[in-house]
Amino acid sequence: MALTVNDVERFEASRPRLEAIAYRLLGSASEAEDAVQETFLRWQAADVEHIEVPEAWLAKVLTNLCLNQLTSARARRETYVGQWLPEPLLAGDPMLGPADTAEQRESVSYAVLTLLERLSPNERAVYVLREAFAHPHREIAEILDITEAASQQIFHRAKKHVADGRSRTEIDEAAARRIVEEFLAAAASGRTEPLVRLLTQDAVSIGDGGGKVPARAKAFEGALAVAKFMRGLFKPSKAKRVLAGGSPEVYATTANGGPAVVAVVEGRVVGVICLEVTAGGIAAFRNQVNPDKLERATRRWASADHGEPLLHAF
């Protein structure tokens, strides 16, 4: 049955919310877009006139498409070259979705998206739908074809797993920029000691090159090891300039709501470093340099004003 203009408009009104759900479930903007487009095709083929609550129907279709994707993604990630990290979303990206509550902001943070990889597909779906989008357990149970009691149990289990994996610290955009500026000044100093002072003792640094850009398969662990790596990362060399395609301009910004460093060469984002900040200092650097996961960031970068770079690397 052909969709009416109103049917298409109703779907398009739901698209931002669907994309935000799919991104949290999949950790990939490109895969989220594909899942939402497939949901539209299902909507197009459905008898829309007899769907009583379109928003609930769309959420159910999308979530189950994402669950299927998560199941196959787990198998693919077993053969992924090096560490797998989510695709970062820069400040203002509409796919970040609602950010009215602390729970909504935290659900899309880079740290939490990384932790969600530890959950089963059902745990991840329940956590996202409940924590970020406030779906009642009754609705979640209908979406996942489970009981309401099971939804509640899964949510409490998933929330505990996420809470156990991180210490919660909220910072505003101005504070995030100051943290990035301090880090860059320390990293560019060529000395290890200033960096160590900014880090927690158990700090880690993880890189995702996807086999296309060199990135260490094993994380750096401990303040000294991380500081030495970061000092070396910002040390100029011809080899680095060749690899990056030029001398990157380095900016302070936010990604997924948290402090981030963005490296740009001739308008192309070549790296995003997401910082996880706790009361004790910087606890983690998650470095995304896989070019496939930076295409959306490059498009977003081109459409926004970001001021002057803080430094030129390499």
Side-chain angles (χ1 to χ4, degrees):
M1 183 178 294
L3 294 180
T4 66
V5 172
N6 285 340
D7 295 333
V8 174
E9 288 178 348
R10 187 151 199 177
F11 181 88
E12 291 304 323
S14 296
R15 184 183 289 273
R17 180 181 178 88
L18 294 175
E19 287 189 344
I21 292 173
Y23 172 70
R24 285 165 168 82
L25 287 175
L26 299 173
S28 165
S30 57
E31 290 180 3
E33 289 174 336
D34 290 344
V36 171
Q37 188 58 28
E38 180 61 30
T39 302
F40 175 73
L41 295 178
R42 304 285 179 94
W43 173 253
Q44 193 174 38
D47 187 358
V48 173
E49 288 184 4
H50 292 88
I51 296 176
E52 294 182 6
V53 186
E55 290 74 14
W57 186 93
L58 291 169
K60 181 180 178 71
V61 170
L62 175 76
T63 300
N64 283 285
L65 285 169
C66 289
L67 288 176
N68 292 337
Q69 183 77 359
L70 282 171
T71 301
S72 62
R74 288 197 164 207
R76 291 200 310 274
R77 286 171 195 169
E78 288 178 3
T79 59
Y80 191 82
V81 178
Q83 299 276 351
W84 186 95
L85 290 174
E87 183 176 344
L89 297 182
L90 300 184
D93 193 311
M95 198 175 279
L96 289 168
D100 299 325
T101 68
E103 289 77 15
Q104 289 173 335
R105 292 189 293 273
E106 186 176 55
S107 72
V108 79
S109 72
Y110 214 61
V112 166
L113 285 178
T114 303
L115 287 170
L116 291 182
E117 288 295 307
R118 303 179 185 179
L119 304 183
S120 70
N122 261 20
E123 286 174 335
R124 187 163 183 163
V126 171
Y127 180 87
V128 166
L129 291 171
R130 180 63 182 164
E131 190 80 344
F133 297 92
H135 280 264
H137 284 290
R138 173 183 51 79
E139 290 182 6
I140 297 173
E142 292 174 0
I143 288 172
L144 299 178
D145 293 324
I146 57 178
T147 66
E148 189 171 344
S151 176
Q152 293 170 338
Q153 291 171 356
I154 291 170
F155 175 69
H156 290 306
R157 187 167 64 242
K159 193 168 184 179
K160 184 178 186 303
H161 286 325
V162 172
D164 288 346
R166 73 186 299 260
S167 56
R168 182 168 168 173
T169 304
E170 276 211 83
I171 56 176
D172 60 28
E173 190 169 342
R177 183 178 179 85
R178 286 195 300 272
I179 290 165
V180 173
E181 288 174 348
E182 286 181 24
F183 160 67
L184 287 176
S189 73
R191 296 185 297 122
T192 304
E193 294 79 7
L195 281 164
V196 170
R197 288 196 292 271
L198 295 177
L199 309 179
T200 62
Q201 285 303 304
D202 59 352
V204 298
S205 178
I206 304 167
D208 179 350
K212 299 185 176 184
V213 174
R216 191 171 188 240
K218 186 179 179 182
F220 290 93
E221 299 181 353
L224 184 57
V226 172
K228 287 181 177 179
F229 167 68
M230 286 297 170
R231 182 194 65 192
L233 183 64
F234 283 87
K235 186 177 181 180
S237 79
K238 182 178 179 180
K240 291 176 187 173
R241 288 193 293 273
V242 170
L243 183 64
S247 179
E249 296 178 331
V250 180
Y251 297 82
T253 186
T254 60
N256 293 75
V261 174
V262 174
V264 182
V265 174
E266 296 181 355
R268 176 173 54 92
V269 175
V270 296
V272 176
I273 302 176
C274 296
L275 286 65
E276 181 179 355
V277 179
T278 68
I282 302 172
F285 297 94
R286 296 182 175 90
N287 317 315
Q288 184 56 261
V289 291
N290 182 345
D292 293 343
K293 296 182 182 181
L294 296 173
E295 292 178 358
R296 186 180 179 94
T298 294
R299 293 197 300 271
R300 178 68 197 170
W301 191 259
S303 67
D305 180 25
H306 21 73
E308 294 298 314
L310 293 180
L311 60 89
H312 288 78
F314 315 158

